[in-house]
Amino acid sequence: MSSIPDQNIFPHATGKAAETVAKHQEPQELIFHAGWFCPFVQRTWITLEERSIPYQYKEVNPYKKEKHFLDINPKGLVPAIEYQGKALYESLILCEFLEDAYPSYKPNLLPSDPYTRAYVRIWFINKSIVPATMRLIQAQEADKQKAALEELLKGLATFSEKIKGPYFLGDEFSLVDVAVAPWIVRDYIIRENRGFTRDAAGETWKRYAERLETRESVLKTQSDKEHYAEIYGRYLRDEAQSEAAKAIRAGRAIP
């Protein structure tokens, strides 16, 4: 889950994401409070789109968080939802909740088999890829950037060993894929600024990343790249004041 970034960000989704937002303005029993820029938001958004669950999209203003939103999530973090008048938050919890609350909407992204279901949970709560990516983005000194890049490549190699096909489980798209997809579509940031290449992560990871970034639900929840520049520029300069940035800076787990 992510806090709202600093100031001067673009105020709304653009590109394909804007088209998706426009289709989800009618009132629904599920209200999705989101920030178009946020990779944690995109996890839940991909799940909603992947499974064609009806929802109403509401963009959260970064600097004028309404009292109603803060009542939903006092931390002021997105994503958050209201479901039948009740509030929930945390991106991966929301993804699982959608499986339980809308079981008839297909495809299900958690397998029905208990073992495989638990196995998916182990891998979608992956603590190597996301923190390492954030550390790499925020690292300023050359030695710290090198160490963070090595850490990320090691994490991607370990993850890649478990990929069974076009998607993590094979032919079946699952919450493991949902969890990492937003960082794959943003890896151009570390390619352009921190020396990362998908080739260095191995052929399996490269093919997997290319497959994920072209999936329809991923494309439909992406804004135009140029509007991410101000946000990630602050992370690249280690000036961001989001809760995620503060946690990385302090050596804590990302909230």
Side-chain angles (χ1 to χ4, degrees):
M1 181 159 48
S2 175
S3 66
I4 310 299
D6 314 325
Q7 50 194 338
N8 299 324
I9 68 163
F10 203 75
H12 55 75
T14 56
K16 290 184 179 295
E19 296 172 13
T20 303
V21 169
K23 294 174 182 176
H24 292 277
Q25 294 302 299
E26 295 297 318
Q28 301 288 346
E29 71 170 359
L30 190 149
I31 302 171
F32 180 44
H33 295 272
W36 64 267
F37 47 79
C38 176
F40 298 95
V41 163
Q42 194 178 10
R43 284 172 164 174
T44 307
W45 204 359
I46 289 169
T47 302
L48 286 165
E49 285 297 316
E50 188 72 33
R51 303 186 62 228
S52 299
I53 294 170
Y55 66 94
Q56 181 182 13
Y57 182 102
K58 287 194 175 182
E59 187 74 34
V60 175
N61 187 304
Y63 311 104
K64 297 180 182 176
K65 288 174 263 188
E66 299 174 358
K67 180 180 182 301
H68 180 67
F69 176 68
L70 292 174
D71 288 341
I72 294 167
N73 186 353
K75 293 181 179 179
L77 304 176
V78 288
I81 67 167
E82 289 177 86
Y83 174 74
Q84 299 179 348
K86 294 171 283 190
L88 288 170
Y89 45 90
E90 295 282 357
S91 63
L92 294 177
I93 289 173
L94 295 181
C95 292
E96 284 209 65
F97 167 78
L98 294 171
E99 291 286 309
D100 295 333
Y102 296 92
S104 64
Y105 285 78
K106 306 298 179 183
N108 297 110
L109 302 180
L110 271 177
S112 57
D113 169 67
Y115 174 82
T116 311
R117 199 175 180 92
Y119 182 76
V120 165
R121 285 192 176 106
I122 289 171
W123 284 98
F124 78 58
I125 307 175
N126 186 291
K127 296 186 189 225
S128 57
I129 295 174
V130 174
T133 299
M134 293 293 292
R135 278 192 282 274
L136 179 56
I137 292 173
Q138 288 181 231
Q140 300 301 296
E141 295 82 6
D143 59 333
K144 290 183 179 179
Q145 291 178 8
K146 182 175 183 292
L149 179 58
E150 290 174 353
E151 177 191 5
L152 175 59
L153 291 174
K154 182 179 178 181
L156 295 180
T158 300
F159 185 93
S160 296
E161 290 173 358
K162 303 296 181 180
I163 297 173
K164 297 180 181 177
Y167 300 112
F168 186 78
L169 292 179
D171 293 331
E172 181 182 357
F173 186 77
S174 74
L175 286 185
V176 180
D177 307 305
V178 170
V180 299
W183 278 269
I184 286 172
V185 300
R186 289 164 175 79
D187 72 3
Y188 69 91
I189 297 160
I190 52 177
R191 288 204 306 271
E192 294 174 0
N193 297 279
R194 295 292 188 261
F196 171 81
T197 66
R198 290 178 180 174
D199 287 330
E203 187 61 29
T204 299
W205 176 261
K206 182 181 178 183
R207 289 197 307 267
Y208 175 73
E210 290 170 351
R211 172 79 64 165
L212 274 193
E213 69 182 356
T214 57
R215 192 166 177 95
E216 184 180 8
S217 60
V218 177
L219 292 172
K220 288 167 67 176
T221 54
Q222 265 182 259
S223 283
D224 296 327
K225 283 185 178 179
E226 60 263 30
H227 295 302
Y228 292 101
E230 175 60 28
I231 295 166
Y232 286 101
R234 292 173 182 269
Y235 283 88
L236 288 164
R237 297 188 299 271
D238 199 22
E239 296 172 355
Q241 294 304 312
S242 71
E243 294 305 314
K246 290 176 184 176
I248 291 295
R249 204 171 289 129
R252 295 184 278 106
I254 298 173

